[in-house]
Amino acid sequence: MTVLMCWTLPCQPAVAMGIPVFVLAGLLVHCVFLVSIFDIYFSSPLVHGMTPQQTPLPPPAKRLVLFVADGLRADSLYELSSNNTSRAPYLRSILENKGSWGISHTRVPTESRPGHVALIAGFYEDVSAVAKGWKENPVEFDSVFNESKYTWSWGSPDILPMFAKGATGDHVYTFCYTAESEDFGADDAAKLDTWVFDHVKSFFNSSRSNQTLFSALNKEKVVLFLHLLGIDTNGHAHRPNSREYKENIEKVDEGIKEIVSLIDNFYGNDGKTAFILTSDHGMTDWGSHGAGHPSETLTPLIVWGAGVNYPQKVESQVFEDNFLKEWKLEHLKRLDVNQADVAPLMASLIGVPFPLNSVGTLPLEYLNNSAHFKAESIFTNAVQILEQFKVKMSQKKETTLSFLFTPFKPLSDSEQMNFLKKARLFIQQQKYDEVVSLCKTLINLALDGLSYYHTYDRLFLGLSIAVSFVGWTTYVILVIIKMHTNLTKTVQANSKESTVLFYSFAFVGMMIIFFLWIQTCPWTYYIYCLLPVPVWHAVVRELPVIQDLARNLLSFHITQSVGFLLVCTLGIEILVFSFFYRSTLTVGLLVFAGWPVISQLWVQAKTTALIWTLLCLLLAIFPLMPVVGREPNIPLVIAAGLLTLLISCFSLPSFCKSENRYRNNEDMKVHFYQMLTIALSTYVVSSTHDSLKNKQGLPVLNQIISWMTLVSSLVVPFLSPTFLLQRLFSILLSLMSTYLLLSTGYEALFPLVLSGLMFVWIHMEQEALQHYGLSLKPKLAVFNFTCVTDITQFRQLHLDDVRRAFFFVFFIVTAFFGTGNIASVNSFDPASVYCFLTVFSPFMMGGLLLLKVVIPFVLVSCAFEAVQVITQLSSKSLFLIVLVISDIMALHFFFLVKDYGSWLDIGTSISHYVLVMSLTIFMMLMNGLAQLLTTKRLELPRRTKHHST
């Protein structure tokens, strides 16, 4: 057996600066690391100060009607039913006889807000803007609505206000139903769309008796926007393959037919109305959206009316997918666009200036107009995007020293002039095809140039953060070695050298400040660029320790040291890989299953080792299962509730053995109350599912029970004894009652299996301690969380504690990815919260879904707290090892973040980094929460007094 090194743990604070200061510094540094990614990769692309551009020729349409069927998938609209008929016969006849059609390709995140911004404003919101607000404008942007003479809109209060608020002047009018109407548990969500259609009809009817309104409606450059949310709501509630979703499409089709007829009649069939039907995003088969699955990113686009091409017959057309054959539309030309291209199309049809921040390219094949009009329109489009490029370039030039500025060479001032002169000359010579080709090249170059200047400072800022990262991790490793090991001896610092070092780093800091100041850089740049200075000053100050450590390490066996480093590296790489492939966790758990054999622990604790192996194998199944939420399975949730009740019954004898019968009666009441909440939660899940299935809505009693269970689950653990096993079991029962209410399938079994493994882990760690002769083996039942604060009881720190810290990080990652992945977290599936509320409330629903993610974290954190108690470890020293592991993982993901490639890749890369950074900050908070949950106890004096009489 390999001889393990023993390190001595002195009875002193974890770091020289003191624990509170160190924790605060750690939190601040990690917050900077977390926020920096948005400045480096995802800052707002918007610029202001451009001149509006519009086509000089008269437009084909006076008005435009935009129908956005929220959550409508392309295949759901275009496919034929089993009897070869369309579920949207009117729209099918339009694309076959009157208009042009295709697929609009959306970008991640496939949510309503960024989807509508892309459609109506023509640009893709950056991640940080989406996170800043749901209903309001986090950034000012121009839109087709803003450029119109008048816009009237009907629909959801979550979407319409943001375009009205961003508009200049009082010409964008909104008519919204109440937020309470967006009820996923309602008998028929199609009533949301019926509301819109009815209000549009009454609006036009009332205008006949309102001369002001009638006059406004007859102006040019008018937009009518109908936001239809019913399909999305039914998709969430019943799934896109459900009868409700398909029937809603039929109702929308009928409603659009009525509205088109109404508008044509109102305007005397003047042929000056253009119509567009599209969607903001699609939806997965399991009723969620947000990620980059084709069912979420492929949305329909049908355009007809004034200025729009008629159907174009073709003999064959090539696309990577096989949809044309499935939809029986091979003979009609399919015109695909990017979602942002719809905005310039709308602007061109009604002759308003292109939205100032639009990055869309006008899809000319949709236009039924002269070659001259198309050439002028695409030229206007190119100039509008070039304007953004010029503003972006001048901004960057002003904030960069002239000798450091590197311009975007393909679009130098002379090149820009050449492009514009050539295009204007071709228009005069009526060489319209050459104009189109030249302008498309100019648009692509301008977009590349925009990206170039937008990412101009990326390398500089990225290096600053990377240097800070490496410095911070090095400092934490030095703190562990210096303060918690005997690998180095105490070295007295030379005060003269320390002073010189301080002034040297201060001088470097002053130079950085001066360099940033003369370039008028944003204040955040100062933080990112100055952060390495104090961090590396702290590292260099410990140079004698590093030298002493190097001498000591040379005395150890090289094979052992290299082997230890290789095992550590392999362990961290497995954790990193698990973010991409959940099945990696299964491999890790299979290795964990063999740990008792590898470490010889099975010799002294065969039963415990066998249970450990079985539970590891059982937990290893979960990462191989489909992502949670795809297939609801209520019987499994009920089975998990019944299994929890069964386990609770088996645990009753342990309460009866308590010596203090008086205290025991109080504990029994708490235990029975927790069993009752488990039973109620199981009933509520079953009852709510049946009620929603029968379209009877969420029963009020079930909702009250759910919220009461949630609140009580946060308090009841504090009423249980602080004996180790009793308190941990109480925490499990309380959190399990809430987790059941938030479950829809197999994930309900996950906390049970995870907790079982945590209980066995505690036993195994006690066996490991005895195995290495570091401790006696007292019964776990006598351990009390409140009696472990004496620092003199802390034992020597063992190399095996690195393995303990790794186990904790691995279990934390397993708690997150055991039942889901990044895409499933990004995707918004409200089915999990139906026991609490069915009316759409993004922040309330998001909070409940976050709670569902946090519960397994809490279980693992409390088990880790118990491990620290039974192994008599300083939680501070062990946490520093955890910090190093998570920071090395974060550095991996920092270099893996990208903003190119597929939008799913981009979304995943930022999600990974944000998650691992949040995890580090979160573990600091979890550590405190776990201590609170395990050590504090509430007394109920009134009940005690009543009981004794």
Side-chain angles (χ1 to χ4, degrees), residues 93-128:
S93 70
I94 290 289
L95 70 89
E96 287 180 345
N97 305 304
K98 289 187 177 181
S100 295
W101 75 284
I103 288 177
S104 169
H105 296 262
T106 71
R107 288 190 180 182
V108 173
T110 45
E111 299 288 356
S112 291
R113 180 197 163 81
H116 280 89
V117 169
L119 286 170
I120 298 162
F123 73 94
Y124 303 102
E125 277 194 306
D126 63 285
V127 177
S128 57

Side-chain angles (χ1 to χ4, degrees), residues 727-769:
R727 176 53 70 94
L728 288 180
F729 193 67
S730 176
I731 292 168
L732 168 63
L733 288 182
S734 287
L735 296 181
M736 191 65 193
S737 61
T738 302
Y739 199 85
L740 284 171
L741 293 169
L742 293 167
S743 298
T744 59
Y746 74 86
E747 81 271 21
L749 294 164
F750 182 70
L752 275 182
V753 180
L754 183 66
S755 296
L757 187 60
M758 292 299 98
F759 278 107
V760 181
W761 182 34
I762 294 165
H763 282 87
M764 288 296 288
E765 291 296 0
Q766 193 185 26
E767 296 291 349
L769 219 60

Side-chain angles (χ1 to χ4, degrees), residues 882-902:
V882 170
L883 198 62
V884 169
I885 294 170
S886 56
D887 278 346
I888 294 171
M889 285 170 63
L891 194 57
H892 268 77
F893 290 118
F894 180 80
F895 289 115
L896 291 172
V897 170
K898 55 184 177 182
D899 66 343
Y900 58 88
S902 80

Side-chain angles (χ1 to χ4, degrees), residues 429-545:
Q429 296 172 348
Q430 297 185 6
K431 295 180 179 179
Y432 299 127
D433 289 342
E434 285 87 340
V435 175
V436 170
S437 176
L438 188 70
C439 287
K440 284 185 176 178
T441 304
L442 179 55
I443 286 171
N444 291 330
L445 282 174
L447 290 173
D448 289 343
L450 272 172
S451 176
Y452 172 80
Y453 287 119
H454 185 59
T455 60
Y456 194 83
D457 295 326
R458 179 169 300 172
L459 180 65
F460 165 60
L461 294 175
L463 280 174
S464 294
I465 293 297
V467 168
S468 300
F469 241 125
V470 174
W472 170 259
T473 308
T474 306
Y475 177 65
V476 175
I477 292 170
L478 285 172
V479 167
I480 295 169
I481 290 167
K482 182 184 177 184
M483 306 304 295
H484 298 285
T485 77
N486 58 359
L487 289 175
T488 61
K489 59 179 182 287
T490 306
V491 181
Q492 290 296 325
N494 186 314
S495 59
K496 188 178 179 182
E497 286 180 5
S498 297
T499 307
V500 171
L501 197 65
F502 174 79
Y503 282 114
S504 301
F505 274 90
F507 177 73
V508 171
M510 294 300 292
M511 289 297 293
I512 291 171
I513 290 171
F514 177 73
F515 179 74
L516 295 173
W517 177 72
I518 59 174
Q519 296 191 94
T520 59
C521 291
W523 64 271
T524 49
Y525 281 34
Y526 289 83
I527 296 172
Y528 304 144
C529 297
L530 287 172
L531 186 60
V533 177
V535 169
W536 277 100
H537 174 250
V539 172
V540 176
R541 199 174 53 190
E542 305 295 345
L543 195 60
V545 176

Side-chain angles (χ1 to χ4, degrees), residues 358-461:
S358 171
V359 293
T361 304
L362 178 63
L364 294 173
E365 289 181 295
Y366 276 88
L367 297 179
N368 179 20
N369 216 314
S370 65
H372 182 203
F373 180 85
K374 290 181 181 180
E376 287 285 5
S377 296
I378 196 74
F379 179 69
T380 303
N381 191 185
V383 172
Q384 169 259 324
I385 294 176
L386 186 63
E387 280 284 317
Q388 294 180 68
F389 167 81
K390 288 159 76 172
V391 170
K392 195 84 173 175
M393 182 179 73
S394 64
Q395 285 180 355
K396 190 50 62 183
K397 204 169 183 178
E398 286 170 11
T399 59
T400 309
L401 295 173
S402 56
F403 65 90
L404 291 175
F405 181 71
T406 310
F408 182 68
K409 290 178 182 175
L411 269 186
S412 61
D413 291 345
S414 59
E415 285 293 325
Q416 291 175 41
M417 292 300 294
N418 283 339
F419 269 111
L420 296 175
K421 280 180 181 177
K422 269 188 189 178
R424 187 47 67 194
L425 182 64
F426 284 149
I427 289 174
Q428 289 172 358
Q429 296 172 348
Q430 297 185 6
K431 295 180 179 179
Y432 299 127
D433 289 342
E434 285 87 340
V435 175
V436 170
S437 176
L438 188 70
C439 287
K440 284 185 176 178
T441 304
L442 179 55
I443 286 171
N444 291 330
L445 282 174
L447 290 173
D448 289 343
L450 272 172
S451 176
Y452 172 80
Y453 287 119
H454 185 59
T455 60
Y456 194 83
D457 295 326
R458 179 169 300 172
L459 180 65
F460 165 60
L461 294 175

